[in-house]
Amino acid sequence: MCKTKLNLIAAACENMGIGANGALPWRLKKEMAYFSTMTIKVKDPSKVNAVIMGRRTWECIPPKYKPLSERVNIVLTHNVDVLKEKVPEGVIVVPSIDEAISYIEGREDIESTWVIGGSSIYQAAMEHPNCGKIYLTEIQRSFECDTFFPKIPQEVFKQVKEDEIPEEKQTEGDISYYFRVYKML
Ligand SMILES: NC(=O)c1ccc[n+]([C@@H]2O[C@H](COP(=O)([O-])OP(=O)(O)OC[C@H]3O[C@@H](n4cnc5c(N)ncnc54)[C@H](OP(=O)(O)O)[C@@H]3O)[C@@H](O)[C@H]2O)c1
């Protein structure tokens, strides 16, 4: 029985778009700070969290921010040998979510695991037996997007309240959004 729970974290707009032209369609500093806090914070200070992402999401991170700091960065690709040559030391390259989980479970210092996109990785994580919660920032506006968050099946996930996560509407400039949490039933 494997103990690693996969928590998904994403920001999506009204049409469930998450990306356009290899970038985020919006610039929301406080939302980015929420992403960092959620994926970095640990209860046990001797541990760190892991982030799992697809190869394109890895490529979308601006060079000065990667690898994502204070987190074990795990990148999925079908071409492990090619990508391994290109990533900085310490970045883990694997060919599947199950390989990522095996890697995480082989270490004793990883507290939580966050799946940070993109589309197919979210989909695979949502369908995975180890799926935990979905932390979805719901942006109250439509943006033109070419990448989308998969449909959250209502019969499988239920919205829950979580301590420390504000329920009220957040506003940055002329964009508002809510931090929502969905849990597998
Ligand atoms: N709003 C948000 O919260 C958010 C979060 C993340 C990303 N994004 C946006 O989403 C876009 C990037 O996401 P994306 O969906 O296009 O790509 P992605 O999921 O990040 O990467 C796709 C790649 O990951 C690898 N991959 C996917 N599934 C795999 C599997 N099961 N096993 C092994 N490798 C697998 C493949 O790499 P190879 O081709 O190398 O085999 C595939 O081409 C960007 O616009 C980014 O800004 C937004």
Side-chain angles (χ1 to χ4, degrees):
M1 171 74 180
C2 102
K3 58 181 170 29
T4 302
K5 280 280 177 208
L6 303 171
N7 291 313
L8 286 64
I9 186 160
C13 60
E14 273 179 356
N15 47 344
M16 293 307 271
I18 59 167
N21 305 314
L24 295 178
W26 46 79
R27 197 175 135 70
L28 297 169
K29 270 180 115 175
K30 283 194 277 177
E31 207 287 322
M32 279 306 291
Y34 171 78
F35 167 83
S36 297
T37 304
M38 293 300 290
T39 55
I40 290 174
K41 73 174 178 188
V42 282
K43 289 196 183 100
D44 177 347
S46 69
K47 295 194 172 182
V48 286
N49 293 333
V51 287
I52 301 178
M53 72 196 95
R55 192 256 310 157
R56 285 209 285 269
T57 294
W58 166 259
E59 285 172 356
C60 292
I61 302 171
K64 65 175 174 178
Y65 295 121
K66 71 182 176 186
L68 295 177
S69 61
E70 300 171 64
R71 289 151 282 187
V72 176
N73 286 228
I74 304 178
V75 187
L76 262 68
T77 177
H78 298 101
N79 304 302
V80 171
D81 293 340
V82 176
L83 192 60
K84 259 188 183 163
E85 295 295 311
K86 297 185 191 166
V87 297
E89 213 185 309
V91 173
I92 310 305
V93 181
V94 291
S96 67
I97 287 206
D98 285 331
E99 290 273 343
I101 292 174
S102 299
Y103 173 81
I104 289 163
E105 294 193 342
R107 285 179 60 150
E108 286 179 355
D109 62 337
I110 294 182
E111 188 172 282
S112 304
T113 300
W114 292 91
V115 173
I116 64 165
S119 285
S120 56
I121 313 289
Y122 286 136
Q123 180 80 51
M126 240 159 57
E127 289 169 357
H128 198 281
N130 292 34
C131 186
K133 293 178 185 166
I134 302 173
Y135 292 78
L136 185 66
T137 299
E138 296 180 357
I139 298 170
Q140 307 294 294
R141 220 167 94 174
S142 268
F143 289 82
E144 207 167 300
C145 291
D146 55 24
T147 313
F148 297 86
F149 194 85
K151 191 171 165 27
I152 301 175
Q154 304 268 305
E155 65 287 3
V156 183
F157 290 92
K158 180 176 139 257
Q159 195 186 325
V160 291
K161 243 175 71 100
E162 189 141 309
D163 292 346
E164 294 169 39
I165 297 195
E167 283 187 279
E168 63 276 12
K169 191 197 278 189
Q170 309 290 309
T171 304
E172 281 194 72
D174 58 353
I175 301 176
S176 53
Y177 52 85
Y178 292 92
F179 296 128
R180 295 261 153 82
V181 186
Y182 295 89
K183 190 171 184 239
M184 212 172 193
L185 292 172

